[in-house]
Amino acid sequence: MKRWLACTALAVGLTGALTVPAAADPPSSAEFPVPITCDGTTYVVGFLPGQGDFTPALVTTSNQVVVPFSFDLTFTDLTTGESETDTAQKGPETNPNAVNCTIDFTSIDPETGHEFNIAGTVTALITPPR
């Protein structure tokens, strides 16, 4: 459970430089795609291993990138009932173009076979804008 928690927290926690390349290829090597709804639009994003809590995620159906500024997520292993909450904010200010996003995703961890859920909120910048 800790491996997928760490991988997901790294990716969902996503915030990095605002100049993320817009021409990034969709993440073909992502462990699992996750739907995220931002201001009424649902995106499917792929999380790739990163070097911190604020690693950007790539939208699987376009060249858009989701760059997080803050998140409040709860990871629950539905098989064992084990739960962990992760909250973080990058800096004291947010970007005026940031949108509020929600995640409520349930799947099976391919390593353990356990069913898990990720639920919570993310404040992020989606680039390039639609």
Side-chain angles (χ1 to χ4, degrees), residues 20-109:
V20 176
D25 289 330
S28 60
S29 63
E31 284 193 37
F32 50 85
V34 175
I36 181 170
T37 302
C38 303
D39 284 352
T41 301
T42 299
Y43 303 91
V44 177
V45 297
F47 300 113
L48 301 174
Q51 297 297 318
D53 284 341
F54 297 98
T55 303
L58 302 176
V59 177
T60 62
T61 57
S62 73
N63 66 348
Q64 292 178 289
V65 179
V66 178
V67 182
F69 294 100
S70 67
F71 60 90
D72 183 4
L73 299 171
T74 300
F75 305 90
T76 305
D77 182 326
L78 299 173
T79 304
T80 65
E82 196 175 330
S83 183
E84 184 175 318
T85 298
D86 195 6
T87 301
Q89 180 170 336
K90 183 175 183 179
E93 301 177 24
T94 61
N95 185 300
N97 297 316
V99 294
N100 295 315
C101 305
T102 58
I103 297 173
D104 190 0
F105 174 71
T106 301
S107 188
I108 303 291
D109 182 339

